[in-house]
Amino acid sequence: MIISRRDLLKTSLAAGTVLSMPSVLQAQSALTDARTVRMVKIGGLTVFDPVVTTANITLDHSNAIYDTLFSLDSKFMPQPQMVGKWGVSDDKKTYTFELRDRLEWHDGTPVTAADCVASIRRWAEVKPAGQLIVARGADILKKDDKTFTIAFKEPLGGLTFILSQYLYIMREKDADRPATEAVTANVGSGPFKFNQALAKPGSSFAYDRNEKYVPRSEPSDGLAGGKIVKVDRVIWDNIGDQQTALAALQAGEIDYHEAPPADLYSVVEGNPDLTLEVLDKSGQDYFLRMNCLQKPFDNVKARQAVLHLVDQEAFLSVISPDPKYSSTITSFFGSGNPVSNDENTGWFKKGGDPEKAKQLFKESGYSGEKVVILQPTDWAEANNSSQLLAATLRKIGVNAELAPSDWGALVARRAKKDAVENGGWSIFITSESDYSRGDLSSASSLMANGEKGWFGWPKSDEYETLRAKWVDVETLDERKALARKMQQTAWDLAGTVLLGKVLSPIARRKTLTGLIGMPEIVPMWNMQKVRV
């Protein structure tokens, strides 16, 4: 019998053995310091600016060092965060916001309304929620050092919810640049400071408690309320191999592992010092995105071919083998949202439909062009899915080629709009929370505004006209009706292909408590290390 390295690893981990394979952290003390938390995240942090990317690791970084005007509570309702007072005029066209007291940048200077105005304007250039503001003719002006206004030509409902959508306030001198030019200063006003002196790109990043941060007085609730930091330092260790990271977790070298291998969940559950915890209870929707600007997927029939080709159950088997953690999806808006629906889902077929896919590729005029699939080698679920996708495409005669890299390099490359021969790409796989796919006002992946939109750049004026109505629709029944119309258009456009929904638990040592469960973001405040 041949014993694989993975089988040996599983046996050793189950026995609680520290493996002989090199550990990136074993030179340190066996257990991390009581006031320091060590975390292993999905992928490496390479882009620090939340305006130029939607990568979750960048959002987690931003959530630590920056603050927000409004934040969502556990019921997904917007609550004031940096804002102390706010109001709206009688005609519902002008909103006035006043900052709360004692807001200070990490460099010691006060946060001002001018910082907020610059940050909102830059964010609104590219973010879907911000573009809704711009489309309504918003005039964003500083009134005094602590007060600013947003005035519209016509009323816009739900502005506080819109302002809670990944809008991180930066210093005016950082935000006073195009949205395409990344901010690298990492100076915020949030509960953590980025420790530049300890930054080791590709290896680790450190975040220190901001001793001068003044949290709100309300209890912590979701992303809202008081952001109280209960540790002195958080270190993100970049360990690309999931099995090595799990071994480090068992050895007490790290406290938190964001992506334990699904086939080793039983190992975690069998260790009395570890536990699995599902933080994002809405689940993660995995999907592939095609480059609609370049051949062959600039042709809608080639995109529809992939829609028919994908066998979701096959992809789920390599993403999350345990069926209790996964399910198929047919709604463009996820499977657990009030606006999920069954409009235009005739393409879904158990096992996929390779013959239909072949026919559609032929009708698209496909003539053997190279299809480059970006393959993140440090994210096992997307790595395995990319390999399965390449094999599936090759079976029907598509010239598929994998482009392996770490997630950070993938994030940089997916922004390129060039042809593959000039460093571009054809397909990449990612995921987002099921909750986000039901929020048409803020989810970047739900846009279809071409080159102004999210990576892949599908374009449909019909869809965007419908999406623009979302903030004006008042009742759930009206939103459901609008979502059905949008889904009809979205599946015909086929810029996105869903691979299935997965509940993805994190693994942590039982000494690490107080983690906040919300979609997309893992806050670092409130968590602490305790004796058990």
Side-chain angles (χ1 to χ4, degrees), residues 129-194:
Q131 290 181 4
L132 290 173
I133 293 176
V134 172
R136 297 302 177 92
D139 194 8
I140 309 165
L141 296 172
K142 169 187 170 182
K143 189 174 180 181
D144 58 41
D145 281 349
K146 292 185 63 175
T147 311
F148 65 95
T149 61
I150 302 179
F152 298 97
K153 296 177 181 177
E154 56 184 279
L156 175 66
L159 180 61
T160 57
F161 181 82
I162 290 172
L163 294 178
S164 69
Q165 301 303 306
Y166 310 121
L167 169 55
Y168 298 100
I169 301 303
M170 301 178 178
R171 297 178 300 181
E172 181 182 19
K173 66 181 181 180
D174 294 327
D176 190 18
R177 69 187 68 198
T180 53
E181 181 184 331
V183 173
T184 58
N186 293 317
V187 175
S189 64
F192 284 89
K193 291 182 177 181
F194 183 75

Side-chain angles (χ1 to χ4, degrees), residues 133 140 204 221 240 255 271 305 313 317 369 379 421 461 473 490 495:
I133 293 176
I140 309 165
S204 66
D221 182 16
D255 304 290
N271 187 313
E313 291 181 342
S317 72
E369 294 92 351
W379 179 13
E421 56 267 24
D461 293 339
V473 172

